[in-house]
Every structure is written in structure tokens, then in C-alpha cells.
Amino acid sequence: MTFGGLPTRWEPAGTSRGLALVAPGRAYPPSAPLLDFARIALLQHGFTVQQLWWDSTSRGDEEPEPWVRRHVEAALAGEDADHVVVVGKSLGTRAASYAAERGLDAVWFTPLLVDPAVAEAVAANPGRQLLVGGLADDLWDATIARELADNGCAVLEVPDADHGMGTPDAVRTAEVHLEVARAVHAFLSHL
């Protein structure tokens, strides 16, 4: 399957351990660094990767959570995987309630922790979860992140990272992405 000429699905070498569904951000596609490094790590750890590509401007007046849920449900409708992992970035973290209802393991990049619905859904999920955010991100709530960490979520909090997990310095931004890739690798190693 392709989107705009880009593949949307990858199979690991060997037998698949399950399916990872990647839900991007509003303006952060699956080909952007955080999600692409996650794709590579997921393949390395034996997961089939299915990416969602969307035009968030097509949402119109529909609320973000049902819009994201509809896309996630449609992508998973034809799948038959025993183990599903959801990877979401920003808007894609609106899939947290869907993941919580099903107890799905998840990686949440820059989750919208300032939105009580997202924070509550993450807190309600019995699956294993990794949250990644930066203190320079207005949509990250450090207090809620600590509470979620105290309740079992793995959390990587980067002091100088913004909503794109970047900084004004190119080298530091590359270092942040390396920190994130290491955290994702460690998280997947324990699934």
C-alpha cells in the first residue's frame, strides 16, 4: 500500500511479533524523524508497521478524538494480530482512549497531556506505555507526566525539547532524537 507514492506498510525480516499502528500528528507525517525512527525500531523488534497518513484539514468540524478513532478503527479492521502496539504523535495521541479500551501497548510522542481526555485515557490504559515529551512544549504537562510515571508509564522528558522534540540548535536536536530512539528501543525490548 502507498500514500502519495510512499509505502505505508512494512514487514519485518522473519516472523512478525504483531502489528504497530502509527498515527501521525496534525502536521507531523509518518516520514518525520520521531515516527520514522520508531518505524525502524519496530521493524528491528519484529513488528509489522502500518502507518496512517491523513490530511487533518479534512476533519472539518469533527472533534479530534472521534476523527482519529475512526481512522484507527478503519486501519485495524482488516488486521488479525495478537499483539497490537499504537504509536501516536500529538494529534495521533487522541487514539489513547481507543488503546485504553483494548489494553494496547503504546508509544506516545508529545502526548497532549494538557487535555484531560488524553491524560485520563493514558492513565486508564492497562497496557505498557512510553510517553515522550519536552519541557519547552506547551502541550506537555510535567506534573501529569510524573503522575503517569508513578503509575507505571515509562516517561522520557527532555528539558529543552519543544513539541517537535527539537531545539533551536541542530546538533542538540539530533541528540534529542537519539535519546528518543534509545528510549523507544529500550521500551520495545521489554514488550
Side-chain angles (χ1 to χ4, degrees):
M1 195 173 203
T2 63
F3 177 85
L6 298 171
T8 63
R9 186 179 185 94
W10 285 266
E11 298 291 338
T15 305
S16 178
R17 294 179 48 204
L19 176 75
L21 182 67
V22 177
R26 180 182 55 80
Y28 197 96
S31 58
L34 293 172
L35 296 176
D36 198 46
F37 289 140
R39 175 189 62 82
I40 294 166
L42 287 157
L43 288 168
Q44 178 183 359
H45 286 274
F47 286 91
T48 297
V49 179
Q50 177 64 50
Q51 296 174 329
L52 292 175
W53 287 76
W54 54 41
D55 174 6
S56 64
T57 62
S58 69
R59 185 168 56 88
D61 292 335
E62 187 175 0
E63 291 296 314
E65 184 177 340
W67 187 84
V68 169
R69 176 183 288 268
R70 186 166 44 83
H71 282 81
V72 168
E73 287 173 343
L76 292 176
E79 298 290 347
D80 183 26
D82 291 333
H83 189 187
V84 175
V85 177
V86 179
V87 178
K89 164 74 172 95
S90 189
L91 176 63
T93 68
R94 299 273 185 189
S97 63
Y98 180 91
E101 290 165 9
R102 290 154 182 79
L104 302 177
D105 296 328
V107 176
W108 305 121
F109 293 120
T110 65
L112 307 172
L113 296 183
V114 297
D115 183 329
V118 173
E120 290 167 12
V122 172
N125 189 346
R128 295 181 57 131
Q129 298 175 95
L130 169 64
L131 285 70
V132 175
L135 291 179
D137 178 1
D138 292 338
L139 301 174
W140 176 264
D141 186 313
T143 302
I144 291 173
R146 279 190 295 279
E147 290 171 7
L148 292 167
D150 290 344
N151 288 319
C153 289
V155 175
L156 172 63
E157 187 173 76
V158 181
D160 54 341
D162 62 18
H163 193 62
M165 293 307 290
T167 74
D169 181 273
V171 172
R172 176 64 186 133
T173 297
E175 292 169 348
V176 169
H177 282 81
L178 179 58
E179 286 179 56
V180 174
R182 285 185 173 136
V184 170
H185 174 72
F187 176 77
L188 294 173
S189 295
H190 294 99
L191 285 185

